[in-house]
């Protein structure tokens, strides 16, 4: 770590500034050392990735992760890196509150878009495919596109399936049970 700081003294100065301004972010750095590595690798502060590029970056990490639990862990790690980077740039004045809100929102949307298919694949593996579909509706700050670092995600899930639909796998489920379990897996 010290060698990385020696080669990137501007990052070291930024981290000291962040920890001085925001004790919360300082605690996050001390608890999650991978955040320091993420800062060093990202070359920030710099321009934000476009929402499509954020999604592509996360999708590539999930693809490399392998199994379901590994994908969830990769998404959590990626999300915490993004959240830290945005909050840190906000506290040092590299971006304003409006830009931070847009970036927090884009990050949350990328996670939702990337993880829903992961949860669907896991359900198909365990219970087979089912006719129908699931929609995710954003409410609250996410729906308004004004997320903050402390915002939670208010989501509504709506499913549609033909009457009497059931999954066609080793452990078949009726549509209501299938979609309830799908949402639970997604939320994990």
């Amino acid at each position: 770590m010290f060698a990385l700081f020696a080669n990137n003294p501007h990052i070291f100065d930024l981290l000291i500034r962040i920890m001085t301004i925001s004790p919360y972010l300082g605690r996050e750095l001390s608890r999650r050392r991978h955040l320091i590595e993420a800062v060093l690798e990202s070359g920030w502060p710099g321009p934000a990735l476009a929402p499509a590029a954020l999604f592509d970056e996360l999708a590539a990490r999930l693809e490399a992760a392998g199994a379901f639990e590994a994908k969830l862990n990769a998404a959590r790690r990626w999300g915490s890196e993004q959240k830290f980077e945005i909050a840190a740039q906000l506290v040092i004045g590299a971006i304003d509150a409006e830009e931070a809100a847009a970036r927090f929102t884009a990050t949350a949307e990328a996670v939702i878009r990337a993880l829903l298919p992961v949860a669907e694949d896991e359900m198909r593996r365990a219970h087979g495919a089912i006719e129908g579909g699931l929609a995710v509706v954003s409410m609250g700050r996410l729906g308004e596109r004004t997320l903050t670092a402390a915002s939670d995600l208010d989501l509504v899930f709506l499913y549609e399936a033909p009457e009497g639909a059931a999954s066609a796998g080793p452990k078949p489920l009726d549509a209501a049970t299938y979609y309830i379990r799908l949402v639970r897996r997604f939320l994990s």
Side-chain angles (χ1 to χ4, degrees), residues 113-180:
R113 284 186 51 218
L115 282 182
L116 187 57
V118 170
E120 289 172 333
D121 287 346
E122 184 66 9
M123 283 298 293
R124 278 192 291 275
R125 186 189 64 70
H127 300 286
I130 191 166
E131 190 177 348
L134 182 71
V136 182
V137 180
S138 303
M139 306 293 285
R141 287 187 169 273
L142 179 58
E144 293 174 348
R145 309 191 57 74
T146 59
L147 283 180
T148 68
S151 295
D152 59 353
L153 302 181
D154 298 319
L155 303 173
V156 173
F157 297 88
L158 304 169
Y159 79 90
E160 179 181 40
E163 188 174 335
S167 62
K171 298 177 186 173
L173 299 172
D174 65 272
T177 304
Y178 186 92
Y179 284 106
I180 288 169

Side-chain angles (χ1 to χ4, degrees), residues 51-99:
L54 275 175
F55 172 78
D56 291 343
E57 181 180 288
L58 176 56
R61 281 209 196 176
L62 296 181
E63 185 67 32
F68 180 68
E69 288 297 325
K71 288 179 189 292
L72 295 181
N73 289 333
R76 286 183 191 110
R77 183 177 176 137
W78 182 85
S80 71
E81 290 169 4
Q82 294 300 314
K83 184 178 175 180
F84 176 82
E85 183 177 329
I86 297 163
Q89 288 187 27
L90 179 61
V91 300
I92 65 169
I95 60 175
D96 62 19
E98 189 174 310
E99 170 78 9

Side-chain angles (χ1 to χ4, degrees), residues 102-119:
R103 290 176 64 183
F104 283 129
T105 301
T107 298
E109 288 173 343
V111 171
I112 292 166
R113 284 186 51 218
L115 282 182
L116 187 57
V118 170

Side-chain angles (χ1 to χ4, degrees), residues 1-13 15 36 40:
M1 190 67 66
F2 292 117
L4 293 172
F5 286 141
N7 292 330
N8 299 286
H10 66 287
I11 296 292
F12 183 72
D13 292 340
L15 290 175
I36 295 172
L40 290 167

